[in-house]
Coordinates of all heavy atoms in Angstrom, one line a residue:
G1410 N 0.8 -1.2 0.0 CA 0.0 0.0 0.0 C 0.8 1.3 0.0 O 2.0 1.3 0.5
A1411 N 0.3 2.3 -0.5 CA 0.9 3.6 -0.7 C 1.4 4.2 0.7 O 2.4 4.8 0.8 CB 0.1 4.6 -1.5
D1412 N 0.4 4.1 1.7 CA 0.8 4.7 3.0 C 2.0 4.0 3.6 O 2.9 4.6 4.2 CB -0.4 4.5 3.9 CG -1.6 5.4 3.5 OD1 -1.4 6.3 2.7 OD2 -2.7 5.2 4.0
K1413 N 2.0 2.7 3.5 CA 3.2 1.9 4.0 C 4.4 2.2 3.2 O 5.6 2.2 3.8 CB 2.9 0.4 4.1 CG 1.8 0.1 5.1 CD 1.5 -1.4 5.2 CE 0.5 -1.7 6.3 NZ 0.3 -3.1 6.5
A1414 N 4.3 2.5 1.9 CA 5.5 2.8 1.1 C 6.1 4.1 1.6 O 7.3 4.2 1.7 CB 5.1 2.9 -0.4
A1415 N 5.2 5.1 2.0 CA 5.7 6.3 2.5 C 6.5 6.1 3.8 O 7.6 6.8 4.0 CB 4.6 7.3 2.7
V1416 N 6.0 5.3 4.6 CA 6.7 5.0 5.9 C 8.0 4.3 5.6 O 9.0 4.7 6.3 CB 5.8 4.1 6.8 CG1 6.6 3.6 8.0 CG2 4.5 4.8 7.2
A1417 N 8.1 3.4 4.7 CA 9.3 2.7 4.4 C 10.4 3.7 3.9 O 11.5 3.6 4.2 CB 9.1 1.6 3.4
R1418 N 10.0 4.7 3.1 CA 10.9 5.7 2.6 C 11.4 6.5 3.7 O 12.6 6.8 3.8 CB 10.2 6.5 1.5 CG 9.9 5.8 0.2 CD 9.4 6.8 -0.9 NE 9.0 6.0 -2.0 CZ 7.7 5.6 -2.3 NH1 6.8 6.0 -1.4 NH2 7.4 5.0 -3.3
E1419 N 10.5 6.9 4.7 CA 10.9 7.7 5.8 C 11.9 6.9 6.7 O 12.8 7.4 7.3 CB 9.7 8.1 6.6 CG 8.8 9.1 5.9 CD 7.6 9.4 6.7 OE1 7.4 8.9 7.8 OE2 6.7 10.1 6.2
L1420 N 11.8 5.6 6.7 CA 12.7 4.7 7.5 C 14.1 4.7 6.9 O 15.0 4.3 7.6 CB 12.1 3.3 7.6 CG 10.9 3.1 8.6 CD1 10.3 1.8 8.4 CD2 11.4 3.2 10.1
G1421 N 14.2 5.0 5.6 CA 15.5 5.0 5.0 C 15.7 4.0 3.9 O 16.8 3.8 3.5
C1422 N 14.6 3.3 3.5 CA 14.8 2.3 2.4 C 15.3 3.0 1.2 O 14.8 4.0 0.8 CB 13.4 1.6 2.1 SG 12.9 0.4 3.3
D1423 N 16.3 2.4 0.5 CA 16.8 3.0 -0.7 C 15.9 2.7 -1.9 O 15.8 3.5 -2.8 CB 18.2 2.3 -1.0 CG 19.2 2.6 0.1 OD1 19.7 3.7 0.1 OD2 19.4 1.7 0.9
V1424 N 15.2 1.6 -1.9 CA 14.2 1.3 -2.9 C 13.0 0.7 -2.2 O 13.1 -0.1 -1.2 CB 14.7 0.2 -3.9 CG1 13.6 -0.2 -4.9 CG2 16.0 0.7 -4.6
V1425 N 11.8 1.2 -2.6 CA 10.5 0.7 -2.0 C 9.7 0.0 -3.1 O 9.5 0.6 -4.1 CB 9.8 1.8 -1.3 CG1 8.4 1.3 -0.7 CG2 10.6 2.4 -0.2
V1426 N 9.2 -1.2 -2.8 CA 8.4 -1.9 -3.8 C 7.0 -2.1 -3.2 O 6.9 -2.7 -2.1 CB 9.0 -3.3 -4.2 CG1 8.1 -4.0 -5.2 CG2 10.4 -3.1 -4.7
D1427 N 6.0 -1.6 -3.8 CA 4.6 -1.8 -3.3 C 4.0 -3.0 -4.0 O 3.7 -3.0 -5.2 CB 3.7 -0.5 -3.6 CG 2.3 -0.6 -3.1 OD1 1.9 -1.7 -2.6 OD2 1.6 0.4 -3.1
R1428 N 3.8 -4.1 -3.2 CA 3.4 -5.4 -3.8 C 2.0 -5.3 -4.4 O 1.6 -6.2 -5.1 CB 3.5 -6.5 -2.8 CG 2.7 -6.3 -1.5 CD 2.9 -7.4 -0.5 NE 2.3 -7.1 0.8 CZ 1.0 -7.2 1.0 NH1 0.1 -7.6 0.0 NH2 0.5 -7.0 2.2
R1429 N 1.2 -4.3 -3.9 CA -0.1 -4.1 -4.4 C -0.2 -3.5 -5.8 O -1.2 -3.7 -6.5 CB -1.0 -3.3 -3.5 CG -1.2 -4.0 -2.1 CD -2.1 -3.2 -1.2 NE -2.2 -3.8 0.1 CZ -2.9 -3.3 1.1 NH1 -3.5 -2.0 1.0 NH2 -3.0 -3.9 2.3
S1430 N 0.8 -2.8 -6.2 CA 0.8 -2.1 -7.5 C 2.0 -2.5 -8.4 O 2.0 -2.1 -9.5 CB 0.7 -0.6 -7.3 OG 1.9 -0.2 -6.6
E1431 N 2.9 -3.3 -7.9 CA 4.1 -3.6 -8.6 C 4.3 -5.1 -8.6 O 3.9 -5.8 -7.6 CB 5.3 -2.9 -8.1 CG 5.3 -1.4 -8.1 CD 6.5 -0.8 -7.5 OE1 7.5 -0.8 -8.1 OE2 6.4 -0.4 -6.3
D1432 N 5.0 -5.7 -9.6 CA 5.4 -7.1 -9.5 C 6.7 -7.1 -8.7 O 7.7 -6.5 -9.2 CB 5.6 -7.6 -10.9 CG 6.1 -9.0 -10.9 OD1 5.3 -9.9 -11.0 OD2 7.3 -9.2 -10.9
V1433 N 6.7 -7.7 -7.6 CA 7.8 -7.7 -6.7 C 9.1 -8.3 -7.4 O 10.2 -7.7 -7.3 CB 7.5 -8.5 -5.4 CG1 8.8 -8.6 -4.5 CG2 6.4 -7.8 -4.6
V1434 N 9.0 -9.4 -8.0 CA 10.1 -10.1 -8.6 C 10.8 -9.2 -9.6 O 12.0 -8.9 -9.7 CB 9.7 -11.4 -9.2 CG1 10.9 -12.0 -9.9 CG2 9.3 -12.4 -8.1
S1435 N 10.0 -8.6 -10.5 CA 10.5 -7.7 -11.6 C 11.1 -6.5 -11.0 O 12.2 -6.1 -11.5 CB 9.4 -7.4 -12.6 OG 8.9 -8.5 -13.2
A1436 N 10.5 -5.9 -10.0 CA 10.9 -4.7 -9.4 C 12.3 -4.9 -8.7 O 13.2 -4.0 -8.8 CB 9.9 -4.1 -8.4
V1437 N 12.4 -6.0 -8.0 CA 13.7 -6.3 -7.3 C 14.8 -6.6 -8.3 O 15.9 -6.1 -8.1 CB 13.5 -7.4 -6.3 CG1 14.9 -7.8 -5.7 CG2 12.5 -7.0 -5.2
K1438 N 14.5 -7.3 -9.3 CA 15.5 -7.6 -10.4 C 16.0 -6.3 -11.1 O 17.2 -6.1 -11.3 CB 15.0 -8.6 -11.4 CG 14.9 -10.0 -10.8 CD 14.5 -11.1 -11.8 CE 14.5 -12.5 -11.3 NZ 14.1 -13.5 -12.3
D1439 N 15.0 -5.4 -11.3 CA 15.4 -4.2 -12.0 C 16.2 -3.3 -11.0 O 17.2 -2.7 -11.5 CB 14.1 -3.4 -12.3 CG 13.3 -4.0 -13.5 OD1 13.9 -4.8 -14.2 OD2 12.1 -3.6 -13.6
A1440 N 15.9 -3.3 -9.7 CA 16.6 -2.5 -8.8 C 18.1 -3.0 -8.5 O 18.9 -2.3 -8.1 CB 15.9 -2.4 -7.5
T1441 N 18.3 -4.3 -8.8 CA 19.6 -4.9 -8.6 C 20.4 -5.3 -9.8 O 21.4 -6.0 -9.7 CB 19.4 -6.2 -7.7 OG1 18.6 -7.1 -8.4 CG2 18.8 -5.8 -6.3
G1442 N 19.9 -4.8 -11.0 CA 20.5 -5.2 -12.2 C 20.5 -6.7 -12.5 O 21.4 -7.2 -13.2
G1443 N 19.4 -7.3 -12.0 CA 19.3 -8.7 -12.3 C 20.0 -9.6 -11.3 O 19.8 -10.8 -11.3
R1444 N 20.8 -9.0 -10.4 CA 21.6 -9.9 -9.5 C 20.8 -10.4 -8.3 O 21.0 -11.5 -7.9 CB 22.8 -9.0 -9.0 CG 23.7 -9.8 -8.0 CD 24.9 -8.9 -7.6 NE 25.7 -9.7 -6.7 CZ 25.5 -9.8 -5.4 NH1 24.5 -9.3 -4.8 NH2 26.3 -10.6 -4.7
G1445 N 19.9 -9.7 -7.8 CA 19.1 -10.1 -6.7 C 19.6 -9.6 -5.4 O 20.6 -8.8 -5.3
A1446 N 19.0 -10.0 -4.3 CA 19.4 -9.5 -2.9 C 20.3 -10.5 -2.2 O 20.1 -11.7 -2.3 CB 18.1 -9.3 -2.1
D1447 N 21.3 -10.0 -1.6 CA 22.2 -10.9 -0.8 C 21.6 -11.5 0.4 O 21.8 -12.7 0.7 CB 23.4 -10.1 -0.4 CG 24.2 -9.5 -1.6 OD1 24.8 -10.3 -2.4 OD2 24.1 -8.3 -1.8
V1448 N 20.8 -10.7 1.1 CA 20.1 -11.1 2.3 C 18.7 -10.8 2.2 O 18.3 -9.6 1.8 CB 20.7 -10.5 3.6 CG1 19.9 -11.0 4.8 CG2 22.2 -11.0 3.8
I1449 N 17.8 -11.7 2.5 CA 16.3 -11.5 2.5 C 15.8 -11.8 3.8 O 16.0 -12.8 4.4 CB 15.6 -12.3 1.4 CG1 16.2 -11.9 0.0 CG2 14.1 -12.0 1.4 CD1 15.6 -12.7 -1.1
Y1450 N 15.1 -10.8 4.4 CA 14.6 -10.9 5.8 C 13.0 -11.1 5.6 O 12.3 -10.2 5.2 CB 14.9 -9.6 6.5 CG 14.6 -9.7 8.0 CD1 15.6 -10.3 8.9 CD2 13.6 -9.1 8.6 CE1 15.4 -10.4 10.2 CE2 13.4 -9.1 10.0 CZ 14.3 -9.7 10.8 OH 14.1 -9.8 12.1
D1451 N 12.5 -12.2 6.0 CA 11.1 -12.6 5.7 C 10.4 -13.0 7.0 O 10.4 -14.1 7.5 CB 11.1 -13.8 4.8 CG 9.7 -14.2 4.4 OD1 8.8 -13.4 4.7 OD2 9.5 -15.2 3.8
P1452 N 9.6 -12.0 7.5 CA 8.7 -12.3 8.6 C 7.2 -12.7 8.1 O 6.3 -12.8 8.9 CB 8.6 -11.0 9.4 CG 8.8 -9.9 8.4 CD 9.6 -10.6 7.2
V1453 N 7.1 -12.9 6.9 CA 5.7 -13.0 6.2 C 5.4 -14.4 5.8 O 4.4 -15.0 6.1 CB 5.6 -12.1 5.0 CG1 4.2 -12.2 4.4 CG2 5.8 -10.6 5.5
G1454 N 6.4 -15.1 5.1 CA 6.1 -16.4 4.6 C 5.2 -16.4 3.4 O 5.0 -15.3 2.8
G1455 N 4.6 -17.5 3.1 CA 3.6 -17.6 2.0 C 4.2 -17.1 0.7 O 5.3 -17.5 0.3
E1456 N 3.5 -16.3 0.0 CA 3.9 -15.8 -1.3 C 5.2 -15.0 -1.2 O 6.0 -14.9 -2.1 CB 2.8 -14.9 -1.9 CG 3.1 -14.3 -3.3 CD 3.4 -15.3 -4.4 OE1 2.9 -16.5 -4.2 OE2 4.1 -15.0 -5.3
A1457 N 5.4 -14.3 -0.1 CA 6.6 -13.5 0.1 C 7.8 -14.4 0.0 O 8.9 -14.0 -0.5 CB 6.6 -12.7 1.4

């Protein structure tokens, strides 16, 4: 959601992906030049 995206930016995230309006996989690959993330912190499970 947009409200949570604003909070994430205020927290200092360099890149924010809104899973409700963006494809998470494509957005992360674009943000990393296709390399992906070195560490992924997942408190969600499921689709995340």
Side-chain angles (χ1 to χ4, degrees):
D1412 291 345
K1413 293 186 177 183
V1416 170
R1418 292 188 186 96
E1419 292 175 5
L1420 285 167
C1422 286
D1423 299 283
V1424 177
V1425 177
V1426 179
D1427 185 350
R1428 58 179 172 80
R1429 293 184 180 176
S1430 60
E1431 302 175 76
D1432 180 88
V1433 173
V1434 174
S1435 296
V1437 173
K1438 287 185 176 180
D1439 288 344
T1441 59
R1444 182 177 180 277
D1447 299 290
V1448 175
I1449 300 178
Y1450 192 79
D1451 181 14
V1453 179
E1456 179 61 23

